[in-house]
């Protein structure tokens, strides 16, 4: 979904799997890596073409193999953040609880970088101090399986040593975003893409926010009537923290008199994870992250800011919007073409060399629909290889993990006990050295542990307008047989155009490159700071007039835009 947002393509046309960042296919210099292919134009590049100053804060899980894959290569003037699915909030390392992977570098590299016009490297202690963190992370990453600090940043072996709140990764990210707003020249338009680490695992938060949540719960009386698990407590505190950070940004925009012509778009890229320790709750929707049920694909979103017309403020929009549509929507607001000419030029080279062609932009401008209440996606929307939305009907095929309905409070004591007793639901996307690791070698037990349901090749059919909780399967009702066949046929033909390049295998060159760029992990007694900057090999020219940037080393999403400021 992150690749979809940044590229304007549907997931099936850009990236459908969490390919490890060390993957490399030397035979394909365009698409033979994780993330967005090198020659797809990024969202920020479109904004640059419109004259915007562009900045990224937070997660960038859409490519890092070559400079052209990185934030600066995709159009951002500056970036503070990390490359992978997640990292440790306190020490920026990559324990198993963060990424769900053990990579061929043994998770030994710290993942926190700063890119701008003059600096492109890891966040050193000196840089961290400028962002408000004036304490050493006191960290030696011997093996990236378990973090060296607990959820509130205290050393596991020495509980008396706790990192200050200013060293919480989101605090530093927020300080950098506030600095961007404070120092921005208001005569120029601004595009700020704020990609929160929150609310992703690992579940970590400063102690003071746990205390605030405890006070809120105590005043509400909820703790007297419902179970309150530790992970739900952490999740709630993390949500409160994110809300505070958004408030800081809005206040800064107002203080700089920028809010009146700013468009703020806030959206999630998938439903909440319902496995432990994900601890999200999508009730009353079915399923969650990694599934095609509404709990996995129907997400929260809102637009706000002074750019929103008065008559639309406080209203609701019920049309269908794909995450890929924000690319086209912002491009159209900024006044630049949605079409990706760079990808079209690359396709000439790819066709000549028998390599997969880059699909065109799928995103559709939706601002007029949002303002006037139109419906811009009445035709089939290709959700995944297994699912199709043809409003108001949705077809879901095959086996889907997390095929269950949660209760109003979930996880609860019963489900946590079940998880500890190996009854699931458990995490289903773990890898070691690039190879998937399943909870069970037995397919039946695997389905039980991930609470999977099977709609079979024919699929399940739902009217998600009248039945968003997907309680009534229409596929066996004769009156819907023609519609069912029509959607099955459409999904089959759409799948023929899926983008599935050979992204290669884990390459030890990635580890060697990371080591040469930054050296070994930082030694608290004195040593080099480093980040996970691992462009593989040398930048290459691809096709006519297709350039990559000069070599240099070493992503819920908030966008600031129309001053034209756009906060995305």
């Amino acid at each position: 979904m992150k690749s979809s947002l940044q590229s304007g393509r549907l997931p099936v046309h850009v990236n459908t799997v969490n390919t490890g960042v060390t993957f490399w296919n030397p035979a394909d210099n365009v698409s033979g890596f994780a993330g967005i292919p090198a020659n797809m134009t990024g969202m920020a590049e479109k904004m640059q073409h419109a004259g915007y100053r562009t900045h990224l804060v937070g997660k960038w899980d859409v490519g890092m193999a070559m400079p052209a894959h990185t934030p600066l290569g995709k159009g951002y003037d500056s970036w503070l953040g990390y490359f992978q699915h997640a990292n440790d909030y306190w020490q920026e390392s990559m324990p198993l609880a963060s990424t769900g992977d053990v990579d061929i570098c043994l998770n030994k590299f710290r993942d926190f970088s700063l890119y701008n016009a003059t600096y492109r490297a890891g966040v050193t202690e000196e840089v961290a101090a400028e962002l408000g963190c004036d304490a050493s992370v006191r960290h030696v990453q011997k093996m990236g399986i378990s973090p060296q600090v607990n959820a509130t940043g205290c050393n596991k072996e020495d509980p008396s040593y706790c990192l200050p709140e200013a060293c919480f990764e989101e605090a530093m990210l927020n300080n950098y975003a506030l600095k961007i707003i404070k120092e921005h020249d208001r005569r120029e338009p601004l595009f700020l893409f704020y990609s929160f680490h929150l609310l992703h695992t690992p579940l970590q938060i400063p102690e003071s926010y746990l205390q605030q949540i405890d006070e809120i719960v105590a005043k509400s009386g909820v703790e007297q009537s419902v179970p309150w698990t530790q992970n739900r407590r952490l999740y709630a505190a993390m949500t409160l923290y994110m809300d505070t950070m958004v408030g800081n940004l809005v206040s800064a925009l107002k203080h700089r008199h920028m809010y009146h012509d700013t468009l703020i778009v806030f959206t999630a890229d998938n439903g909440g994870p319902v496995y432990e320790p994900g601890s999200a709750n999508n009730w009353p929707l079915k399923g969650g992250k990694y599934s095609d049920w509404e709990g996995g694909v129907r997400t929260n979103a809102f637009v706000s800011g002074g750019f929103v017309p008065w008559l639309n403020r406080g209203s609701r929009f019920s049309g269908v919007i794909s995450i890929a549509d924000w690319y086209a929507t912002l491009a159209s607001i900024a006044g630049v073409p949605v079409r990706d000419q760079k990808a079209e030029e690359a396709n000439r080279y790819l066709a000549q060399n028998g390599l997969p062609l880059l699909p065109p932009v799928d995103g559709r401008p939706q601002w007029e629909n949002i303002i006037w209440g139109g419906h811009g996606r009445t035709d089939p929307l290709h959700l995944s290889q297994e699912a199709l939305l043809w409003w108001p009907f949705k077809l879901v095929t095959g086996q889907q993990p997390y095929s269950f309905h949660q209760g109003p409070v979930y996880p609860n004591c019963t489900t946590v006990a079940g998880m500890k007793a190996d009854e699931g639901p458990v995490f289903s996307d773990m890898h070691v050295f690039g190879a998937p690791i399943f909870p069970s070698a037995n397919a039946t037990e695997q389905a039980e542990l991930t609470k999977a349901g099977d709609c079979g090749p024919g699929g399940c059919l739902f009217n998600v307008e009248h039945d968003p909780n997907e309680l009534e399967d229409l596929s066996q009702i004769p009156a819907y047989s023609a519609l069912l066949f029509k959607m099955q046929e459409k999904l089959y033909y759409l799948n023929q155009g899926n983008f599935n390049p050979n992204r290669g295998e884990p390459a030890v060159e990635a580890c060697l490159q990371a080591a040469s760029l930054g050296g070994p992990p930082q030694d608290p007694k004195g040593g080099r700071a480093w980040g996970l900057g691992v462009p593989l090999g040398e930048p290459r020219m691809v096709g006519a007039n297709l350039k990559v940037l000069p070599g240099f080393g070493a992503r819920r999403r908030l966008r600031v835009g129309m001053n034209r400021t756009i906060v995305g």
Side-chain angles (χ1 to χ4, degrees):
M1 289 299 180
K2 296 166 283 293
S3 294
S4 180
L5 179 60
Q6 291 284 351
S7 71
R9 274 77 171 178
L10 296 175
V12 291
H13 293 153
V14 58
N15 192 23
T16 58
V17 294
N18 284 329
T19 306
V21 297
T22 62
F23 277 55
W24 182 25
N25 173 18
D28 188 347
N29 186 47
V30 175
S31 306
F33 312 91
I36 301 173
N39 295 86
M40 282 187 179
T41 300
M43 175 186 285
E45 290 180 88
K46 289 292 184 182
M47 306 311 293
Q48 281 186 335
H49 295 164
Y52 281 70
R53 304 299 296 177
T54 59
H55 301 276
L56 170 67
V57 180
K59 182 173 183 174
W60 180 260
D61 191 23
V62 300
M64 56 180 282
M66 294 193 302
H69 294 94
T70 66
L72 265 64
K74 289 298 179 190
Y76 290 97
D77 296 326
S78 78
W79 169 58
L80 174 71
Y82 60 97
F83 279 116
Q84 296 234 45
H85 313 325
N87 62 2
D88 185 274
Y89 286 84
W90 292 105
Q91 299 178 304
E92 294 82 43
S93 56
M94 297 184 296
L96 184 63
S98 297
T99 64
D101 294 344
V102 177
D103 61 34
I104 61 170
C105 311
L106 299 181
N107 294 28
K108 292 176 72 70
F109 291 97
R110 187 168 179 243
D111 191 1
F112 200 34
S113 299
L114 173 64
Y115 286 10
N116 56 37
T118 60
Y119 183 91
R120 298 163 187 176
V123 174
T124 65
E125 289 188 8
E126 292 78 10
V127 174
E130 293 181 9
L131 297 169
C133 174
D134 57 0
S136 168
V137 296
R138 194 175 173 181
H139 163 251
V140 176
Q141 184 75 9
K142 298 178 180 178
M143 173 68 172
I145 300 298
S146 176
Q148 280 71 51
V149 296
N150 63 17
T152 57
C154 297
N155 189 284
K156 291 181 177 180
E157 297 179 359
D158 181 9
S160 65
Y161 175 81
C162 298
L163 288 165
E165 288 191 11
C167 292
F168 190 58
E169 183 175 65
E170 286 287 2
M172 289 188 277
L173 295 175
N174 202 246
N175 279 338
Y176 188 72
L178 295 174
K179 181 176 182 291
I180 290 170
I181 295 172
K182 179 181 179 180
E183 297 179 355
H184 178 69
D185 184 346
R186 292 184 300 165
R187 294 171 298 181
E188 298 181 292
L190 169 66
F191 177 70
L192 172 61
F193 191 100
Y194 197 127
S195 182
F196 285 95
H197 187 173
L198 299 162
L199 301 163
H200 201 288
T201 52
L203 304 185
Q204 298 175 321
I205 195 69
E207 179 68 35
S208 66
Y209 278 81
L210 285 175
Q211 296 173 3
Q212 290 183 56
I213 280 295
D214 289 343
E215 293 172 3
I216 292 172
V217 172
K219 290 179 181 178
S220 71
V222 171
E223 63 178 348
Q224 305 299 320
S225 59
V226 298
W228 185 245
T229 69
Q230 176 63 13
N231 281 342
R232 282 298 287 172
R233 179 172 175 252
L234 289 166
Y235 203 84
M238 293 169 75
T239 306
L240 177 63
Y241 193 100
M242 183 172 66
D243 185 65
T244 303
M245 298 302 102
V246 173
N248 292 343
L249 296 171
V250 172
S251 295
L253 289 168
K254 291 181 177 179
H255 181 74
R256 294 270 352 257
H257 304 288
M258 295 167 64
Y259 183 81
H260 68 284
D261 52 7
T262 289
L263 170 64
I264 299 174
V265 180
F266 188 99
T267 184
D269 59 358
N270 52 250
V274 297
Y275 46 80
E276 284 287 321
S279 304
N281 189 354
N282 302 308
W283 180 85
L285 301 178
K286 183 177 182 178
K289 182 177 180 180
Y290 291 106
S291 78
D292 288 313
W293 303 117
E294 290 296 274
V297 301
R298 181 184 291 220
T299 65
N300 297 310
F302 65 80
V303 296
S304 65
F307 184 74
V308 178
W310 279 100
L311 292 177
N312 294 94
R313 299 179 188 182
S315 64
R316 297 174 69 102
F317 175 69
S318 58
V320 175
I321 293 182
S322 164
I323 193 169
D325 291 339
W326 292 114
Y327 177 102
T329 300
L330 296 182
S332 64
I333 290 174
V336 294
V338 174
R339 173 184 168 191
D340 189 348
Q341 185 174 352
K342 183 169 68 172
E344 293 173 3
E345 293 173 349
N347 279 342
R348 293 199 291 269
Y349 162 85
L350 294 169
Q352 292 170 2
N353 290 272
L355 295 170
L357 302 184
L358 303 179
V361 171
D362 296 300
R364 300 178 182 177
Q366 290 272 17
W367 188 245
E368 293 297 320
N369 293 319
I370 293 172
I371 295 302
W372 299 107
H375 196 334
R377 285 198 173 272
T378 56
D379 56 328
L381 176 59
H382 198 181
L383 297 177
S384 75
Q385 183 171 318
E386 290 81 27
L388 178 72
L389 177 65
W390 202 336
W391 188 259
F393 296 96
K394 188 172 81 170
L395 175 68
V396 179
T397 68
Q399 189 175 87
Q400 297 279 336
Y402 314 119
S403 295
F404 65 98
H405 289 85
Q406 302 163 275
V409 178
Y410 181 93
N412 53 42
C413 295
T414 300
T415 56
V416 172
M419 185 273 295
K420 292 180 177 179
D422 290 332
E423 297 172 358
V426 299
F427 182 58
S428 64
D429 193 32
M430 188 179 300
H431 297 81
V432 174
F433 302 159
I437 302 299
F438 301 104
S440 173
N442 180 281
T444 300
E445 186 177 43
Q446 161 83 4
E448 292 174 352
L449 290 172
T450 59
K451 295 193 180 297
D454 197 344
C455 284
C460 304
L461 182 66
F462 301 91
N463 183 326
V464 291
E465 180 179 26
H466 300 306
D467 179 25
N469 302 333
E470 297 169 301
L471 297 170
E472 184 183 7
D473 181 7
L474 308 174
S475 64
Q476 301 303 311
I477 300 177
Y480 292 95
S481 59
L483 174 64
L484 176 64
F485 177 77
K486 181 180 178 181
M487 294 187 69
Q488 292 168 340
E489 184 179 46
K490 188 65 176 180
L491 179 60
Y492 172 82
Y493 284 111
L494 286 175
N495 280 336
Q496 306 311 301
N498 289 354
F499 183 65
N500 294 307
N502 178 3
R503 299 183 185 270
E505 301 292 338
V508 69
E509 288 89 343
C511 308
L512 298 175
Q513 183 77 349
S516 67
L517 286 167
Q522 183 172 343
D523 186 337
K525 297 179 181 178
R528 300 176 64 189
W530 50 276
L532 185 68
V534 293
L536 280 169
E538 292 297 321
R540 302 178 180 92
M541 298 292 290
V542 180
N545 299 318
L546 303 178
K547 299 186 173 97
V548 294
L549 298 182
F552 56 82
R555 131 204 124 139
R556 184 127 307 155
R557 321 218 125 46
L558 183 66
R559 281 155 294 282
V560 180
M562 286 311 287
N563 61 281
R564 288 120 6 226
T565 300
I566 295 178
V567 178

